[in-house]
Amino acid sequence: MSEGRLSPFHGLWALTNRELKKWYKEPVILLLSLVQPILWIGIFGKAMNFASMFKSASIEIPGLTVPKQIIDEIGSLVLKQTFGTTDYFSFLAVGMLSFIVLFTSMSSGMTIVWDRRLGFLGKLLTTPVPRGSIIVSKVIASIIKSLVQATIILLIGVLLGLRFSFGLFAPMAFVITYLSLFLLSFGFSSLFLMLALRSTRWETQMAIMNLLNMPLLFSSNSFYPISSMPWWLKPIALANPLTYANAISRWALLGITPQVSVILSMLYLVAFAAIFTTLGITLSWRYLSL
Amino acid sequence: MNEPVIKVSGLTKIYPGGVLAVDHISFEVHEGEIFALLGPNGAGKSTTIGMLTTSLRPTEGEAIIAGYSINREPSKVRSVIGVVPQEFSADEDLTGWENIMLIGYLYGLPKDTVKKRAAELLQTVGLYNVKDKKVETYSGGMRRRLEIAMGLINRPRVLFLDEPTLGLDVQTRAAIWEYILKLKKDYNMTIFLTTHYLEEADAYGDRVAIIDRGKILVIGKPDELKRNVTWDTLFIEVSGSYDSAKQALSILPQVKEVSFVNGQIVIKVADGPSAIPLVVSAINSTGQEVKRLSLNRPSLDEVYMYYTGKSLREESMSKEEAFALRRTLRRARS
């Protein structure tokens, strides 16, 4: 029998909690998903050592001796101009935060496919829990997972030599970084859940993920700055929300001046999150059925 | 008479692609009844239950459940019904307790209420001592019992059971029915079930609707249905002359037909049990004694055959249903 009026949010936390339980009860999967970004920072970040290019001794061209000091100075200037910092490792490590957020958020779509395949979704749809809550709970769980994973990556980055150079008051820097990652995860989780609303095959979902993850990553400023991209890639990078999350994080944590102002970048992420969440919830009312 | 608790009128479902799964069905179910929708796989049973439980949108038609419209007030309908789906729906990664608590919260029940009811229900279905084990370790029968307990957490007025015993062995099926009947008694519910097991519809259904190719062919009490299409048969051996016995029996109004086969009198009557005393006294009145008497009552399969021209037992199933069945069986056995 119904017990009075139901709050529109009833069951939301119970569903979120279910997603999280399934996640932290399987630490192996959690650790496996960290392997890729750790390899990127640990191997790529360490080996792609741009600074070492200029760490040679003095150069002697016949008739001209360039002292080491000047080479170092030029190196720093070039690096600074290209990456906004002389420390490529830190540049990459902070870029990996959005990488892990993207990958974790993408997999949120899979959970809905599994729920459908295993009959759980069918059961959910017969309870009075709002359709929107089914999606929103998955988005919230996905955000929490993403931010926890990002924190782990950040800690590992620090262990491997990430050096902060805060662009503002340190605690605020973290708040702003997490806010940008939060918005990024919000938007991507909603987007990939939306794509999975009607999907019955996890293979399709995997294919979508594989199709989109690398292009999204490489068309952003995660590995290299926009300024060094070919002209045709720049507009794509500027449309890519990863670019803005990276720019904000690098500004806050590394003091790198962003190409687009931080406020505009943040607004872009807010719009990204708001549009896809609204779309996701609206479509779930319409299309989330057996 | 009370308002029916389920009132279905002209309910129709056409799937994308034009498959007509349910074709303008109408019926009523009354408070406290066990109503069985009987039909082969692919007849439209699951689609019907899907529409009544609001997980599928009807193409046309209406159903009112406990006063709420499935089209206009689906979430109100959901709050007064319980559903035990055909496929296992519990989350295998969680424990039985976590599953039933979760469903309770989805009905918006306060924590204390959910805890109390969950404990009580798990005790009733005999799962309380394994409540903290993951569902993936449960047997098929245990899972089905958990599903039933989960379907009752909101104290529903109507419980929908979609093939509640599919894929279970005979003993487990009987045990599940024991639980269902006990729960029905304890909570005074109306039960709407689909099944393709004739014996279950016959034994437990207060009323049965036979559905085939999306249409309801006939609705009634199992006994009535059988009586309407076919007769009970009595086989009698008597001590003396068959001819005089036959004569005495022919004049009884209940007796439709008397024949003589293999040394036995075979008579067709409308209602076997109530005809037996009359038949016996008619034979005694001719001075003979009944040596042996047996009664053969038709099953619902004969009713089904009468309306559809085929036997329910021989019906094959669609590919999807076969797939779903295999999956259910696989999990039931694991």
Side-chain angles (χ1 to χ4, degrees):
Chain A
M1 201 100 3
S2 73
E3 324 266 318
R5 187 165 301 206
L6 292 175
S7 121
F9 300 110
H10 80 270
L12 183 60
W13 175 244
L15 284 175
T16 308
N17 200 21
R18 161 181 178 259
E19 301 281 339
L20 293 176
K21 250 184 212 161
K22 287 165 77 81
W23 171 63
Y24 63 69
K25 280 187 176 177
E26 292 291 344
V28 178
I29 296 173
L30 191 157
L31 292 176
L32 279 178
S33 62
L34 292 172
V35 169
Q36 266 219 16
I38 291 173
L39 287 181
W40 276 109
I41 338 180
I43 299 177
F44 189 84
K46 283 291 172 190
M48 191 60 104
N49 193 350
F50 290 107
S52 71
M53 291 182 206
F54 303 99
K55 287 279 154 64
S56 53
S58 58
I59 294 177
E60 284 190 38
I61 306 164
L64 176 72
T65 303
V66 187
K68 184 178 180 300
Q69 228 176 337
I70 293 188
I71 301 277
D72 287 352
E73 199 62 33
I74 291 174
S76 297
L77 273 172
V78 169
L79 283 171
K80 193 114 184 150
Q81 242 173 29
T82 314
F83 297 106
T85 170
T86 54
D87 178 5
Y88 180 72
F89 178 79
S90 298
F91 177 90
L92 180 78
V94 172
M96 286 301 105
L97 298 179
S98 63
F99 171 102
I100 187 75
V101 165
L102 169 69
F103 274 49
T104 312
S105 306
M106 271 184 157
S107 58
S108 63
M110 286 297 275
T111 65
I112 211 160
V113 179
W114 279 118
D115 281 356
R116 183 187 290 281
R117 298 271 301 196
L118 297 178
F120 186 80
L121 184 66
K123 176 77 186 175
L124 274 189
L125 294 177
T126 65
T127 70
V129 74
R131 290 341 194 212
S133 293
I134 299 176
I135 295 302
V136 174
S137 71
K138 286 186 183 289
V139 173
I140 296 176
S142 168
I143 293 173
I144 295 175
K145 289 184 216 174
S146 300
L147 295 184
V148 170
Q149 310 248 58
T151 308
I152 299 174
I153 292 300
L154 191 63
L155 292 175
I156 291 172
V158 169
L159 284 178
L160 292 177
L162 162 64
R163 269 169 295 136
F164 295 114
S165 161
F166 297 112
L168 67 168
F169 180 52
M172 267 315 278
F174 284 106
V175 169
I176 287 180
T177 302
Y178 274 88
L179 182 62
S180 72
L181 296 176
F182 168 85
L183 291 170
L184 188 70
S185 177
F186 216 123
F188 275 124
S189 307
S190 304
L191 170 65
F192 282 93
L193 277 163
M194 207 167 72
L195 293 175
L197 276 182
R198 301 292 292 167
S199 179
T200 50
R201 290 161 53 89
W202 63 267
E203 293 93 334
T204 318
Q205 202 58 27
M206 281 298 276
I208 294 176
M209 282 167 66
N210 284 331
L211 185 74
L212 292 178
N213 58 16
M214 286 300 152
L216 273 170
L217 200 61
F218 288 122
S219 70
S220 78
N221 56 355
S222 294
F223 295 99
Y224 28 73
I226 294 184
S227 56
S228 61
M229 289 179 183
W231 64 269
W232 53 267
L233 190 56
K234 283 182 185 171
I236 301 173
L238 283 173
N240 188 339
L242 283 172
T243 299
Y244 297 95
N246 286 333
I248 295 170
S249 313
R250 284 179 183 143
W251 169 74
L253 300 179
L254 305 177
I256 298 174
T257 321
Q259 236 187 4
V260 179
S261 89
V262 172
I263 294 179
L264 276 181
S265 301
M266 203 59 108
L267 285 177
Y268 187 85
L269 290 177
V270 169
F272 170 66
I275 289 171
F276 284 107
T277 308
T278 315
L279 265 176
I281 294 175
T282 317
L283 290 179
S284 69
W285 277 105
R286 180 92 190 83
Y287 292 111
L288 195 60
S289 66
L290 286 181
Chain B
M1 189 144 208
N2 293 340
E3 263 294 287
V5 68
I6 303 178
K7 193 170 160 49
V8 178
S9 35
L11 203 60
T12 301
K13 178 72 186 180
I14 303 171
Y15 282 111
V19 179
L20 178 60
V22 172
D23 186 4
H24 297 89
I25 59 170
S26 302
F27 57 86
E28 290 179 358
V29 179
H30 299 285
E31 190 97 53
E33 244 185 341
I34 297 185
F35 186 89
L37 194 57
L38 174 70
N41 292 305
K45 300 188 303 282
S46 290
T47 305
T48 304
I49 228 170
M51 288 189 284
L52 294 182
T53 58
T54 75
S55 44
L56 284 175
R57 272 173 239 268
T59 314
E60 209 182 290
E62 175 67 294
I64 306 290
I65 298 186
Y68 300 119
S69 152
I70 58 163
N71 291 318
R72 292 188 313 273
E73 302 155 295
S75 69
K76 285 199 170 139
V77 170
R78 287 177 209 132
S79 66
V80 295
I81 62 171
V83 183
V84 180
Q86 182 174 337
E87 289 183 30
F88 290 124
S89 70
D91 189 328
E92 304 200 353
D93 296 332
L94 303 182
T95 66
W97 179 256
E98 287 169 337
N99 265 294
I100 194 166
M101 289 293 287
L102 171 61
I103 298 298
Y105 291 137
L106 298 186
Y107 282 97
L109 301 171
K111 193 175 180 184
D112 292 342
T113 315
V114 184
K115 269 189 168 171
K116 207 170 130 248
R117 287 188 190 174
E120 185 186 299
L121 284 165
L122 289 180
Q123 239 140 21
T124 312
V125 298
L127 290 176
Y128 193 76
N129 54 343
V130 290
K131 72 181 170 60
D132 294 322
K133 289 213 162 82
K134 274 192 180 186
V135 172
E136 63 184 10
T137 65
Y138 285 18
S139 71
M142 285 159 84
R143 283 173 191 222
R144 191 56 76 184
R145 269 140 60 196
L146 176 65
E147 298 282 345
I148 292 172
M150 280 159 67
L152 290 169
I153 192 78
N154 61 326
R155 298 268 160 90
R157 283 190 62 193
V158 185
L159 180 66
F160 288 90
L161 298 162
D162 195 2
E163 302 272 2
T165 55
L166 185 72
L168 300 176
D169 60 70
V170 180
Q171 282 95 336
T172 315
R173 274 166 61 185
I176 293 289
W177 270 106
E178 233 171 81
Y179 288 120
I180 294 174
L181 295 177
K182 180 172 171 6
L183 291 163
K184 176 185 175 328
K185 200 170 131 239
D186 289 356
Y187 300 114
N188 183 35
M189 284 175 307
T190 306
I191 292 181
F192 182 99
L193 75 112
T194 66
T195 181
H196 66 271
Y197 291 124
L198 294 156
E199 308 78 20
E200 291 187 353
D202 198 348
Y204 306 111
D206 293 322
R207 281 193 309 143
V208 175
I210 293 182
I211 185 169
D212 189 47
R213 291 166 205 269
K215 280 194 159 84
I216 288 190
L217 304 175
V218 64
I219 302 179
K221 294 184 172 146
D223 282 349
E224 277 173 13
L225 291 180
K226 289 183 275 190
R227 211 176 303 150
N228 288 346
V229 299
T230 179
W231 311 107
D232 287 359
T233 314
L234 290 174
F235 299 91
I236 307 163
E237 283 175 38
V238 295
S239 58
S241 145
Y242 285 105
D243 288 338
S244 55
K246 188 176 171 182
Q247 229 159 27
L249 291 169
S250 306
I251 55 168
L252 288 176
Q254 288 84 355
V255 174
K256 303 296 169 195
E257 192 188 306
V258 185
S259 55
F260 185 66
V261 182
N262 288 339
Q264 292 184 103
I265 300 171
V266 180
I267 60 177
K268 301 263 185 200
V269 291
D271 182 14
S274 69
I276 289 173
L278 301 172
V279 166
V280 172
S281 66
I283 291 169
N284 289 344
S285 72
T286 64
Q288 304 185 63
E289 270 175 38
V290 174
K291 275 165 57 187
R292 195 168 173 279
L293 185 150
S294 62
L295 166 65
N296 184 22
R297 311 202 74 185
S299 77
L300 278 178
D301 200 29
E302 269 124 344
V303 180
Y304 182 79
M305 215 183 304
Y306 177 86
Y307 284 103
T308 65
K310 58 200 174 189
S311 167
L312 183 57
R313 295 178 207 278
E314 290 157 10
E315 282 294 314
S316 60
M317 55 181 77
S318 75
K319 240 184 184 171
E320 288 83 21
E321 300 233 351
F323 176 68
L325 176 68
R326 267 202 304 277
R327 195 168 5 144
T328 308
L329 290 175
R330 202 165 47 232
R331 276 194 251 162
R333 285 177 192 141
S334 65

